[in-house]
């Protein structure tokens, strides 16, 4: 079934001569124990790419294969990147993201057309979603070593991002004002004697606009009118790469520790007033 589906996608690409076809995959097996019976979840993501020429690439993704009991294989993303009348075009079903992941995680798939170009070092793009009467416009660029971007710039709830480096410190800031309130995130990162240090502060006034699931784990359940704070330390050791996190969310602290050894990652997590969680993850990319 899966081979037939992939073969069908490859066949559809043959409408135009495809010079190169590649398959990229990631397998993850996760064993979780939270003071009950241990569970095993297997997850496979596949990305199929067909390169027509230097201007045209077709991408199709199959995600979360085997993660549920269903044997259904679903196409999550399917889009073409090409050039139309001198503009870069991305057409089809794809995910998106506002900012660089500090406030928001990757969004759900939507069917849309994006046209973009670069004018004097400034990237300008317009996106039209299927069935939506309003297009959105984004602009971004680097000015004197400072990266700035404004997504949905013509709307009052535009998403603003800025980043720069000062000495050995990388600074990232994101802000979005909505009708409910203003969400603001600041991240400072540096490396000292081989130890990576990161501090994060997020002010949440509209929880719908905060879907971060990254360096501070999942904070999409942060309360309105609250702040989320975290410190992350990562360093190589003789046992493997070690990462420790201390996170405060909804007035509860969480201690999170990871040990990465090759294809294996061992995780311990403990939030106040809850049981600890142990995980072992096998992750293989190909």
């Amino acid at each position: 079934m899966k081979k037939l589906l992939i073969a069908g996608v490859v066949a559809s690409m043959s409408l135009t001569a495809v010079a190169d076809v590649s398959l990229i995959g990631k397998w993850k097996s996760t064993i979780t124990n939270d003071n009950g019976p241990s569970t095993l979840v297997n997850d496979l993501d596949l990305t199929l790419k067909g390169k027509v020429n230097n201007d045209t690439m077709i991408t199709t993704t199959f995600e979360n294969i085997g993660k549920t009991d269903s044997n259904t294989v679903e196409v999550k993303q399917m889009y073409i990147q090409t050039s139309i009348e001198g503009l870069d075009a991305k057409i089809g079903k794809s995910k998106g993201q506002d900012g660089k992941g500090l406030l928001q995680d990757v969004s759900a798939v939507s069917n849309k057309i994006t046209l973009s170009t670069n004018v004097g070092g400034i990237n300008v793009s317009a996106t039209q979603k299927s069935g939506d009467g309003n297009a959105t416009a984004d602009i971004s660029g680097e000015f004197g070593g400072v990266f700035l971007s404004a997504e949905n710039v013509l709307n009052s709830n535009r998403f603003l991002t800025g980043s720069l480096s000062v000495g050995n410190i990388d600074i990232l800031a994101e802000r979005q004002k909505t009708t409910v309130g203003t969400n603001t995130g600041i991240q400072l990162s540096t490396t000292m004697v081989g130890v990576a240090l990161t501090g994060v502060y997020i002010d949440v006034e509209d929880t719908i606009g905060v879907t971060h699931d990254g360096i501070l784990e999942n904070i999409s359940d942060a309360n309105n009118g609250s702040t989320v704070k975290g410190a992350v330390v990562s360093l190589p050791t003789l046992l493997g790469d070690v990462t420790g996190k201390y996170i405060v969310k909804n007035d509860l602290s969480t201690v999170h520790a990871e040990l990465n050894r090759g294809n294996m990652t061992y995780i311990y997590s403990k939030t106040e007033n809850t049981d600890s969680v142990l995980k072992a993850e096998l992750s293989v990319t190909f």
Side-chain angles (χ1 to χ4, degrees), residues 38-59:
S38 296
T39 60
L40 170 63
V41 175
N42 300 307
D43 181 14
L44 174 64
D45 295 337
L46 296 174
T47 300
L48 183 65
K49 294 189 175 185
K51 184 178 180 180
V52 180
N53 50 48
N54 290 333
D55 293 328
T56 304
M57 173 82 75
I58 299 172
T59 301

Side-chain angles (χ1 to χ4, degrees), residues 2-13:
K2 296 176 184 176
K3 291 182 178 179
L4 289 174
L5 183 57
I6 293 174
V9 175
V10 174
S12 69
M13 294 176 177

Side-chain angles (χ1 to χ4, degrees), residues 48-236:
L48 183 65
K49 294 189 175 185
K51 184 178 180 180
V52 180
N53 50 48
N54 290 333
D55 293 328
T56 304
M57 173 82 75
I58 299 172
T59 301
T60 303
T61 68
F62 310 86
E63 301 176 23
N64 302 325
I65 302 172
K67 195 170 185 178
T68 66
D69 292 333
S70 172
N71 291 320
T72 303
V73 179
E74 296 183 2
V75 176
K76 290 294 184 179
Q77 299 186 84
M78 184 176 66
Y79 57 88
I80 183 171
Q81 293 167 288
T82 189
S83 178
I84 299 177
E85 300 294 341
L87 299 175
D88 295 328
K90 183 176 180 180
I91 304 172
K93 296 181 179 180
S94 64
K95 299 177 181 179
Q97 184 174 45
D98 289 332
K100 295 188 175 183
L102 181 57
L103 288 179
Q104 297 185 5
D105 194 17
V106 175
S107 67
V109 171
S110 61
N111 195 19
K112 54 183 176 284
I113 299 175
T114 298
L115 299 175
S116 61
T117 189
N118 187 287
V119 181
I122 299 176
N123 295 312
V124 181
S125 66
T127 299
Q128 178 72 62
K129 291 184 179 180
S130 177
D132 188 342
N134 299 310
T136 61
D138 303 335
I139 60 173
S140 64
E142 187 168 322
F143 310 90
V146 179
F147 172 82
L148 298 172
S149 75
E151 291 159 285
N152 201 7
V153 66
L154 301 179
N155 198 296
S156 60
N157 67 344
R158 64 187 63 88
F159 195 101
L160 305 176
T161 303
S163 63
L164 73 157
S165 296
V166 179
N168 195 35
I169 300 175
D170 296 326
I171 304 171
L172 170 63
E174 294 183 352
R175 181 180 186 270
Q176 183 179 34
K177 184 176 182 180
T178 71
T179 56
V180 177
T182 302
N183 296 322
T184 305
I186 299 175
Q187 176 178 302
L188 304 178
S189 303
T190 190
T191 300
M192 301 175 61
V193 198
V195 180
L197 306 171
T198 301
V200 179
Y201 178 91
I202 297 176
D203 186 23
V204 182
E205 294 185 358
D206 182 1
T207 186
I208 294 177
V210 178
T211 59
H212 170 109
D213 189 4
I215 192 169
L216 295 186
E217 306 304 312
N218 190 337
I219 66 169
S220 60
D221 57 348
N223 295 329
N224 274 343
S226 69
T227 58
V228 181
K229 295 164 282 190
V232 181
V233 179
S234 300
L235 69 157

